Amino acid sequence: MKRIIVLSLIVVSVLLIAIVPAFAAEKRFDGVTLKVFANSHDPMLKAVKWSIPVVKEKFGIDILMDEAPYGTQFDKAMSAFVAHTGQYDVIVGAHQWTGAWADGGYVIPLDDYIKNDPEFDPSIYVEKAYQINSEWKGKQYALPFNMEGRLMFYRKDIFEKEGFKVPTNRDEWLNIVQSINNNPEYKEKGIWGAVYMYATEQGISYPFETYFQMFDWNSVKTENGFWDENFQICIDKPKMVEAFQYWQDRLNDMPPGVESYNLPEAYQFYLDGKAAMTEVWPLTLYGMLLDPANADLRAKTGTADIAIGYPMSGGWGIFICADSKIQDAAWEYIKFMTNAENDLYFFKEFGKGPSVKATYTDESLKETYGDWLEGQSEAISKAVSYGKIATMSEFYGGNFAVITNQIMTGKLSAEEGVDKLIEELKGILERAGYPQK
Amino acid sequence: MIEKRLKYYLILPALIIFLGLAIYPLFFALRGSFFIWRYGMSAQFVGLKNYIDLFKSSFAWNALQNTIVYVVLAVFLELIIGLALAVLMNRELGFFRPIVRTALTIPMFVSPIVVGIIWRMIYNPHYGLFNWILGTRGFAPTGNEYALFFVVLADVWQWTPFMYVIILAALQSIPPEILEAGEIDGTTGWQKFIHITLPSISYAIVIALTLRFMDATKALDLIYTLTYGGPGGGTETIGFLIFRTAFNDLNIGSATSFAIIFTVVMGILITRFLGWLNRRFEIV
Amino acid sequence: MFKPRKKSKKQMVNTAIILVIAVFTILYLLPIYWMGITSFRPEAKSMSWPPNFSPTGLVLDNYRVVFEQKSIFWYIRNSLIVSIISVVFSLVIGCIAAFSFAFMRWKAKTKTSLLIWIISLRIMPPIATAIPLFLIFAKLRMIDTFPALILAYTFFNLSFVIWLVYGFFKELPREIVEAGLIDGCSYAKLFTRVVIPLTTPGIMTVALLTFIASWNEFLFAVKLTAFNTRTIPVLISGFMIDRGLLWGQVSAVGLVSIIPVIIVALFIQRYIVSGLTFGAIK
């Protein structure tokens, strides 16, 4: 009896020794450690975290993850790139950083991989997503990971009760805001017409981003109203002054304290049922509305195109770093993270913005997310973005953003401020390599 | 003589650390400040341009102004409140005093990052304690042109105990004979305070002020989480501006030139001041 | 017969002051108490109007999230490694230097200017060194390693340690030291057998204060860490920007981060004044 046990143990262990490596050998990237720099934005972060055991299982790749919030990620990545620390292989980044990373040669163009990989099919992605996150100077630098188009959220119950129609232009929008603010009933409940983010932590004050939405769009030739196709400043000064004055006046229509609101605080204000309208990145708010605690509000919330002009697009891509020594594994990873199956899964589980066409029309999502996805799809198709020049970070987070914030909060007059902005923008464009005439 | 050399050997490790981690980086920064140097772009020698631009920059002047207001106001309020508390507590109170002292010292050991978050909660216009205490609702302390004062308030909350603890200790070390002598002379309470008590604790006050001054001018972490310099740059101090220039604008040249000026000016001020202090009180 | 207890005027004043100060102290700690309470509330109820101070309806949800999903233990571990080792380094190096200043024959002028120079290093805004240090550490391939962070912390604690410990050494009665030297003690023996044991309580205070400073440090932590060495302040700062307004979780992390500090603060009550003033005031 004892002998049989011993014998079978030996047999089993011999088998194991023989078989395990055989299985393991099937994985292409055994023993490879991929260092991923994720963004702390919850849906994307959760997706990357989810991938750690899955990728180990599937490809044999070990993943090490670092994360940073939007405010510090770009700088951290840049300092790592500049010093060539080689500390990241793969990086999840916002589309507006593409220029800086591509021009500096810190991320690699993916065109060779795309051409040579028979498995890879770029046509699965929403075209705009593929382009925006992130094509630069004719090359593809990232695969689209997270895609959003700015939407307006509004309270269906309030709109119904007051007989408001979804606003389609600036005047209608303002009418609604003011009639809610002036209504004693809502005043009593502390409900305001609209809420925006004004603080600079996540970039320029949101209402300002609608500045160029106030033009006749046909008059704006390229991707934004700040510079033309030759990267020459094309700010329409009187228009911009007017736009700023308009938004300075709107501060009176906003709840007290919005000057200090960062993005989460603006979300929270809406979630508390204190604003009839808001205009935000939709996915985070979707995610929050899905929380059972907010079920009531969710039923009352409608989404629509933003009232004024064109929505902003927000795109995130996954890049491969030039300093990486395991770019093949990195390619495998980013391909995996952005494939159709995972795109659907990440949206369903974590609320990541879909960048694959099929996700938007997926039957299984119709019931729960149908209206949102439709709105999103439309917003994305109309969406515009600021661009990807190498100095975009200054545009979003530097003096330019602070001056904008100073005008928005009334610290600077619009005329004076616009002059300063143009001066600042001149520097931004010149430093990106586009001399101004 | 071994001793002659030994004394140098003993401070050598410390000197190496200082030279390696402070002085060398400082020279590194000094060199960088003569370049247009941004991450991702090749550095370009421009001489003193960064410094000249700095003097022309409205942000720099704004930050300087904010820093002066911040430091003066914060340190002054901390001193007054701390002094008042210490004078009140300087009497026989039994076990009560150590309890209060222990309780009050907690805030100053909390990371400024956390203090910023706590105060962001307090200043929340809709749920915050601040509105609750004022009996209002919807007032946003950090959302208007007076935001800086409310940042100062957070700083005062954290650092008043520092003044209190130091001044109380100084008060208690005044020999009772001095005070009694004053009583015999028939001076009143207030006169006694001005002419006897204050001079006896002036040294402690000067030291406490100096240390607070040094730390407050560098304020960064608190602002980082409380206001991020906003609204409209209204709470941007020098420390925060350097941080933003370096890490948002990635304008290393400009940031380092600013840091160099700051370091040099403050360094001269403080060493001069400490030298004077040393001649007067023999602190070394 | 009822006889009212006589109270002197002084006692009444004392009582009044105790009352005032007690109320003041309670108000003073209200923010921290509030944060503590918030950390134990379910996220949906974390903020309410009027503020809810009653210690009822408390749950551990936030702590579950913080410990399981955000793996705060890992951050604590990193913070502990960095803080403790840098404290040990700066103490050893600092005590030796302070010993030299305190017990060896220096020219008064040299000593004074050296010491003032050392303290003036504290003025330097951390930003001024953070960028160059990053580039230097990057060249040495030391980014995201514990030694880099430990070195940086050792540096910024060192001036503080030298000053404080120098102050304690100076206070020792000269006779003891001189007696030791006459007895033929070597300097090493004097240092380890006489000076250190006599100043242990003071040195402990310095250790705890430097521990707190390292534990709370943010700027170097955010620049020099990545996968392996992120510390608690880095985790906390991330909450403000991207995670939405998870007041409950932020409060939980915040509270966890200040508990060690509070414990430490309780231990150093006795020496706190000389600790806080770089030994300038005893």
Side-chain angles (χ1 to χ4, degrees):
Chain A
M1 187 62 195
K2 213 175 171 187
R3 210 179 295 166
I4 294 175
I5 293 178
V6 171
L7 210 67
S8 53
L9 270 180
I10 292 174
V11 170
V12 167
S13 45
V14 166
L15 274 179
L16 274 178
I17 290 167
I19 288 171
V20 167
F23 272 122
E26 278 175 25
K27 292 174 191 160
R28 254 179 82 195
F29 299 106
D30 246 348
V32 169
T33 302
L34 195 70
K35 288 170 287 177
V36 180
F37 192 10
N39 185 274
S40 311
H41 182 60
D42 236 29
M44 290 191 284
L45 184 67
K46 280 180 181 155
V48 174
K49 275 190 175 160
W50 166 88
S51 75
I52 296 172
V54 177
V55 169
K56 173 79 186 157
E57 175 70 31
K58 203 169 154 63
F59 303 108
I61 300 176
D62 286 299
I63 291 196
L64 271 181
M65 190 188 81
D66 185 16
E67 55 162 313
Y70 178 82
T72 53
Q73 196 194 2
F74 177 70
D75 144 61
K76 231 185 136 182
M78 275 307 258
S79 32
F81 289 155
V82 170
H84 294 287
T85 59
Q87 77 196 66
Y88 304 118
D89 296 308
V90 163
I91 181 163
V92 177
H95 72 279
Q96 66 264 26
W97 300 335
T98 312
W101 292 347
D103 286 0
Y106 307 129
V107 293
I108 57 163
L110 303 175
D111 300 70
D112 285 346
Y113 282 111
I114 292 170
K115 235 188 307 168
N116 301 331
D117 191 333
E119 276 174 38
F120 181 73
D121 175 16
S123 70
I124 62 166
Y125 299 116
V126 176
E127 270 144 52
K128 209 145 200 170
Y130 192 61
Q131 232 176 49
I132 291 180
N133 0 340
S134 303
E135 189 189 84
W136 179 239
K137 295 186 177 165
K139 283 182 179 154
Q140 189 72 28
Y141 281 93
L143 295 185
F145 190 39
N146 189 46
M147 188 67 198
E148 299 181 56
R150 196 78 64 74
L151 278 182
M152 189 180 89
F153 288 71
Y154 66 97
R155 288 281 296 275
K156 282 194 282 196
D157 55 328
I158 294 175
F159 272 51
E160 250 162 52
K161 191 169 164 224
E162 303 298 324
F164 297 142
K165 272 197 220 107
V166 174
T168 53
N169 61 43
R170 206 198 326 173
D171 296 333
E172 286 174 22
W173 174 84
L174 183 57
N175 251 332
I176 296 175
V177 171
Q178 288 181 336
S179 65
I180 289 175
N181 289 351
N182 296 332
N183 189 329
E185 190 194 329
Y186 294 117
K187 211 167 226 164
E188 176 84 4
K189 288 186 197 153
I191 294 177
W192 292 78
V195 66
Y196 282 93
M197 158 197 132
Y198 271 69
T200 49
E201 273 127 298
Q202 291 89 356
I204 295 175
S205 317
Y206 271 25
F208 174 68
E209 296 191 338
T210 50
Y211 140 69
F212 59 89
Q213 297 164 1
M214 295 170 62
F215 295 108
D216 169 12
W217 194 249
N218 296 323
S219 74
V220 179
K221 295 177 199 90
T222 46
E223 41 186 355
N224 69 35
F226 294 93
W227 54 82
D228 63 18
E229 68 268 28
N230 298 320
F231 297 96
Q232 296 298 310
I233 294 177
C234 65
I235 287 177
D236 181 342
K237 204 178 142 189
K239 248 312 181 340
M240 197 173 187
V241 170
E242 186 200 322
F244 269 127
Q245 279 164 346
Y246 176 79
W247 283 107
Q248 282 176 340
D249 291 343
R250 291 297 72 73
L251 213 47
N252 303 321
D253 299 314
M254 295 289 165
V258 282
E259 294 97 324
S260 67
Y261 279 11
N262 61 13
L263 202 44
E265 278 164 334
Y267 286 135
Q268 193 62 41
F269 195 82
Y270 181 82
L271 283 177
D272 290 337
K274 292 175 169 303
M277 292 185 278
T278 188
E279 185 202 306
V280 290
W281 294 119
L283 284 152
T284 315
L285 194 53
Y286 282 162
M288 291 172 167
L289 286 170
L290 283 176
D291 187 325
N294 293 321
D296 185 39
L297 188 70
R298 189 188 160 199
K300 292 181 195 158
T301 295
T303 57
D305 270 3
I306 58 161
I308 319 155
Y310 290 75
M312 281 284 300
S313 76
W316 291 76
I318 318 189
F319 299 78
I320 298 178
C321 305
D323 286 331
S324 169
K325 295 197 174 65
I326 42 169
Q327 294 176 353
D328 288 349
W331 167 252
E332 214 54 57
Y333 179 71
I334 70 172
K335 207 173 68 178
F336 175 73
M337 290 300 280
T338 55
N339 70 22
E341 189 193 334
N342 284 333
D343 193 69
L344 181 65
Y345 183 77
F346 294 158
F347 174 69
K348 258 205 256 183
E349 289 297 310
F350 313 130
K352 184 203 73 108
S355 48
V356 170
K357 278 182 212 160
T359 310
Y360 286 94
T361 52
D362 194 273
E363 285 301 322
S364 69
L365 300 176
K366 273 265 153 65
E367 207 190 310
T368 329
Y369 308 98
D371 50 335
W372 291 357
L373 281 173
E374 225 166 87
Q376 261 299 282
S377 180
E378 210 178 307
I380 289 171
S381 69
K382 284 188 204 160
V384 292
S385 81
Y386 276 138
K388 294 176 264 206
I389 60 169
T391 42
M392 253 355 243
S393 75
E394 292 180 49
F395 187 89
Y396 276 105
N399 289 347
F400 188 86
V402 176
I403 295 172
T404 310
N405 193 245
Q406 283 176 342
I407 310 173
M408 296 292 300
T409 52
K411 260 193 108 176
L412 267 180
S413 76
E415 288 87 357
E416 201 187 334
V418 169
D419 284 335
K420 279 181 143 188
L421 275 184
I422 292 175
E423 196 53 39
E424 202 62 48
L425 187 59
K426 224 170 130 188
I428 291 178
L429 283 164
E430 278 174 354
R431 284 190 289 275
Y434 308 107
Q436 298 297 299
K437 276 164 205 144
Chain B
M1 281 275 284
I2 288 189
E3 192 188 317
K4 230 177 185 174
R5 284 209 210 124
L6 189 62
K7 67 182 178 198
Y8 295 114
Y9 290 147
L10 291 185
I11 64 163
L12 197 63
L15 283 186
I16 289 175
I17 296 244
F18 285 137
L19 290 175
L21 291 155
I23 303 307
Y24 175 60
L26 208 60
F27 275 101
F28 203 97
L30 183 66
R31 195 174 140 261
S33 72
F34 296 122
F35 287 81
I36 287 189
W37 178 23
R38 284 167 189 261
Y39 277 170
M41 284 163 216
S42 50
Q44 196 187 343
F45 184 81
V46 288
L48 290 173
K49 184 171 182 300
N50 284 325
Y51 291 91
I52 294 163
D53 284 353
L54 203 60
F55 280 101
K56 287 196 263 177
S57 154
S58 61
F59 292 105
W61 290 110
N62 175 45
L64 180 65
Q65 191 188 329
N66 285 342
T67 309
I68 292 174
V69 173
Y70 181 93
V71 172
V72 170
L73 207 60
V75 176
F76 176 73
L77 285 177
E78 284 154 18
L79 174 66
I80 296 298
I81 302 173
L83 184 63
L85 261 185
V87 171
L88 274 183
M89 293 292 281
N90 186 27
R91 59 188 77 228
E92 268 316 311
L93 295 173
F95 65 94
F96 183 65
R97 198 166 53 207
I99 291 182
V100 168
R101 187 177 71 178
T102 311
L104 287 187
T105 42
I106 291 173
M108 68 180 147
F109 293 135
V110 176
S111 167
I113 288 279
V114 178
V115 173
I117 286 176
I118 296 179
W119 282 83
R120 197 161 184 142
M121 285 163 71
I122 290 172
Y123 286 155
N124 184 301
H126 302 284
Y127 303 105
L129 277 186
F130 198 75
N131 273 283
W132 178 71
I133 288 169
L134 288 187
T136 56
R137 193 156 191 211
F139 171 61
T142 51
N144 54 45
E145 63 260 56
Y146 305 111
L148 188 61
F149 297 100
F150 293 99
V151 177
V152 167
L153 196 61
D155 191 280
V156 169
W157 177 75
Q158 186 172 22
W159 290 108
T160 297
F162 175 80
M163 294 284 187
Y164 160 71
V165 169
I166 290 175
I167 295 174
L168 182 60
L171 282 175
Q172 292 186 315
S173 63
I174 302 176
E177 307 88 59
I178 297 185
L179 295 174
E180 277 157 20
E183 264 161 37
I184 294 164
D185 288 350
T187 44
T188 63
W190 182 244
Q191 278 172 332
K192 199 171 88 185
F193 179 72
I194 296 284
H195 295 293
I196 301 171
T197 314
L198 266 189
S200 329
I201 58 170
S202 61
Y203 171 57
I205 290 180
V206 169
I207 289 285
L209 284 178
T210 315
L211 290 169
R212 272 309 295 142
F213 176 72
M214 279 162 63
D215 282 346
T217 45
K218 296 189 294 189
L220 163 66
D221 311 15
L222 174 71
I223 294 165
Y224 182 86
T225 44
L226 182 52
T227 63
Y228 206 77
T235 54
E236 242 176 36
T237 57
I238 291 176
F240 189 83
L241 180 62
I242 299 177
F243 173 84
R244 178 169 75 72
T245 314
F247 300 148
N248 285 357
D249 275 359
L250 302 189
N251 191 343
I252 313 296
S254 171
T256 46
S257 65
F258 205 168
I260 293 280
I261 291 192
F262 182 75
T263 311
V264 168
V265 171
M266 289 294 292
I268 291 174
L269 276 181
I270 290 287
T271 40
R272 277 289 152 89
F273 180 72
L274 287 175
W276 170 81
L277 208 62
N278 190 42
R279 282 193 295 280
R280 189 133 191 259
F281 295 104
E282 295 211 352
I283 49 173
V284 173
Chain C
M1 237 177 79
F2 176 71
K3 197 178 169 192
R5 238 178 86 203
K6 249 192 180 171
K7 262 189 177 173
S8 70
K9 192 185 158 204
K10 209 172 175 182
Q11 262 176 323
M12 288 206 340
V13 171
N14 270 7
T15 318
I17 285 174
I18 288 184
L19 271 178
V20 169
I21 304 265
V23 170
F24 178 83
T25 311
I26 288 168
L27 273 180
Y28 215 82
L29 294 184
L30 199 58
I32 290 182
Y33 172 75
W34 191 42
M35 184 176 85
I37 281 282
T38 307
S39 74
F40 287 105
R41 290 202 197 287
E43 199 60 71
K45 288 182 191 154
S46 61
M47 286 281 177
S48 59
W49 186 265
N52 183 358
F53 297 107
S54 77
T56 51
L58 305 183
V59 291
L60 287 172
D61 290 8
N62 297 315
Y63 288 90
R64 212 163 289 140
V65 175
V66 163
F67 278 99
E68 282 168 15
Q69 290 176 23
K70 314 269 188 257
S71 55
I72 193 175
F73 269 128
W74 182 75
Y75 290 92
I76 294 178
R77 184 200 74 138
N78 292 347
S79 276
L80 280 179
I81 292 177
V82 173
S83 307
I84 292 177
I85 300 183
S86 67
V87 165
V88 171
F89 273 15
S90 48
L91 273 187
V92 170
I93 298 173
C95 283
I96 292 175
F99 180 83
S100 165
F101 284 127
F103 299 119
M104 297 186 161
R105 249 170 248 137
W106 285 86
K107 251 190 233 150
K109 216 178 158 194
T110 322
K111 188 167 85 172
T112 311
S113 30
L114 261 176
L115 278 169
I116 284 183
W117 177 72
I118 286 173
I119 190 112
S120 73
L121 285 173
R122 238 182 95 91
I123 323 276
M124 224 157 59
I127 287 274
T129 43
I131 305 161
L133 267 189
F134 175 83
L135 294 172
I136 293 163
F137 282 137
K139 224 168 233 169
L140 299 173
R141 304 242 149 242
M142 278 170 70
I143 296 295
D144 196 25
T145 59
F146 284 117
L149 213 51
I150 289 168
L151 266 177
Y153 287 4
T154 305
F155 147 63
F156 80 61
N157 282 331
L158 198 54
S159 60
F160 177 73
V161 172
I162 293 180
W163 264 74
L164 266 178
V165 176
Y166 170 72
F168 291 129
F169 285 176
K170 226 175 42 172
E171 289 298 298
L172 285 180
R174 300 297 310 175
E175 307 86 57
I176 298 184
V177 180
E178 272 152 23
L181 279 178
I182 290 163
D183 284 355
C185 267
S186 66
Y187 275 116
K189 264 198 190 145
L190 184 70
F191 183 67
T192 51
R193 299 265 171 86
V194 181
V195 173
I196 292 294
L198 283 175
T199 49
T200 303
I203 289 174
M204 283 310 291
T205 312
V206 184
L208 295 175
L209 282 169
T210 44
F211 174 84
I212 291 174
S214 312
W215 180 269
N216 286 341
E217 205 281 338
F218 164 65
L219 186 69
F220 286 104
V222 87
K223 292 301 292 175
L224 300 179
T225 64
F227 303 101
N228 306 315
T229 50
R230 279 144 50 92
T231 57
I232 283 206
V234 183
L235 174 71
I236 296 172
S237 72
F239 268 102
M240 264 340 279
I241 317 282
D242 268 14
R243 300 250 159 89
L245 273 193
L246 303 170
W247 286 130
Q249 287 179 28
V250 186
S251 306
V253 180
L255 198 67
V256 170
S257 81
I258 61 179
I259 283 174
V261 171
I262 292 179
I263 295 171
V264 166
L266 293 181
F267 277 107
I268 50 178
Q269 286 305 310
R270 221 181 116 208
Y271 286 89
I272 204 157
V273 172
S274 74
L276 289 171
T277 55
F278 283 36
I281 294 168
K282 295 291 154 351

